[in-house]
Amino acid sequence: MIITEISDEIMAFLELKEDSQFSNIAPEDYAFYLSKSMAFGKIEGERYRRQDLEAILKSEGVQILYHQNINATETPFSMIQSQIYFTKEEKKIEIFVGVIEEKRKAMEKFGLMISAEEMRRLHLAHEFYHFLEFSRDQRTGERLPPISKKLLGIIPVQSYVTRTNEIAAHQFAKEVCNFPIHPKIMDYCYQITKGAYRRQAFGALILSVQTELEKGGYQWN
């Protein structure tokens, strides 16, 4: 398995499958949610590609904190790499440098050499996209049709597909940083190096996701 050959669509679909509403999405609608949310990220990425994201954030009163430590209580499956707080009282982005340095070293074992600065910029870019969502008061999921379902099989309710926020943020970061792979791939590679996931299992997962997408009628570009 060559990680540089894994498509963005497959990794975006893995993100979509983590949504709490995934089981309520019709397979024929997978392509819609993937293509639309990825397109939002690409369009914004092209717009901001040559701009200084950190300078823009600081000009908007966003505090950027770089933490060197690694939180030992986290598992390889859930280590926090970056996060954003955006309220009227507080605008803050935190980048956990120690964690992303671990990921950077893991990627070397897969033949991908990435500088520490590239890693910091990639994660900052991811949170920058969420900053755009918050500052515009419109998350990506809210720009797409909600999922209709029935609570207890009786009461009709609608819910947004919130993982599309992350799909778009990943695509934005990849686009604006001209990154060679989809950012989510690094999470799996890191888990593999830590023994929390097997390389063969990841390869099998990629093949199964491709098959699942194709059954839903997904047309590859």
Side-chain angles (χ1 to χ4, degrees):
M1 178 187 62
I2 303 174
I3 60 174
T4 54
E5 295 179 357
I6 300 174
S7 73
D8 294 349
E9 290 85 355
I10 285 177
M11 299 313 298
F13 188 54
L14 283 171
E15 192 75 53
L16 187 68
K17 286 171 71 72
E18 295 177 16
D19 195 278
S20 61
Q21 303 305 318
F22 179 76
S23 62
N24 298 305
I25 303 175
E28 59 268 25
D29 291 334
Y30 293 160
F32 172 81
Y33 284 99
L34 291 179
S35 61
K36 289 295 184 181
S37 50
M38 289 172 68
F40 288 142
K42 287 180 181 178
I43 291 170
E44 294 294 351
E46 291 171 359
R47 182 177 300 168
Y48 285 95
R49 181 176 292 163
R50 294 175 179 81
Q51 298 191 45
D52 187 334
L53 304 186
E54 187 163 344
I56 293 173
L57 289 166
K58 289 180 178 178
S59 71
E60 293 292 333
V62 181
Q63 184 181 17
I64 303 173
L65 302 175
Y66 293 96
H67 301 297
Q68 298 296 328
N69 62 304
I70 296 176
N71 189 343
T73 63
E74 300 285 354
T75 72
F77 289 104
S78 62
M79 293 179 76
I80 298 174
Q81 301 155 38
S82 61
Q83 58 190 359
I84 183 172
Y85 297 93
F86 196 95
T87 66
K88 290 182 179 180
E89 295 76 26
E90 183 179 38
K91 298 178 182 179
K92 179 173 66 176
I93 287 176
E94 294 181 302
I95 307 293
F96 296 90
V97 178
V99 176
I100 62 176
E101 176 61 15
E102 287 271 295
K103 280 175 57 178
R104 189 189 70 78
K105 291 177 180 178
M107 295 313 300
E108 292 181 353
K109 297 179 181 179
F110 287 82
L112 194 61
M113 310 304 291
I114 309 167
S115 71
E117 177 57 32
E118 286 176 312
M119 290 292 283
R120 285 195 294 270
R121 188 165 187 266
L122 182 75
H123 286 76
L124 182 67
H126 183 103
E127 301 307 330
F128 184 91
Y129 182 83
H130 291 316
F131 158 75
L132 293 177
E133 292 181 307
F134 284 124
S135 60
R136 296 168 181 173
D137 195 24
Q138 187 176 53
R139 306 298 296 273
T140 298
E142 297 169 0
R143 301 171 67 182
L144 299 172
I147 296 297
S148 298
K149 60 181 181 179
K150 289 187 177 181
L151 186 64
L152 302 177
I154 303 173
I155 307 169
V157 295
Q158 292 188 322
S159 301
Y160 289 115
V161 183
T162 59
R163 297 307 291 186
T164 55
N165 305 339
E166 294 303 312
I167 292 172
H170 283 314
Q171 207 64 47
F172 173 86
K174 182 186 179 188
E175 193 75 29
V176 81
C177 296
N178 194 29
F179 208 64
I181 61 171
H182 190 282
K184 191 175 178 69
I185 292 175
M186 293 192 294
D187 294 332
Y188 287 93
C189 291
Y190 177 75
Q191 291 167 18
I192 291 170
T193 61
K194 291 299 181 180
Y197 209 85
R198 295 185 62 179
R199 188 185 293 247
Q200 296 90 337
F202 182 48
L205 177 65
I206 296 302
L207 290 175
S208 67
V209 165
Q210 182 171 330
T211 300
E212 190 174 357
L213 273 173
E214 289 172 352
K215 285 183 178 179
Y218 194 89
Q219 299 295 316
W220 302 97
N221 295 326

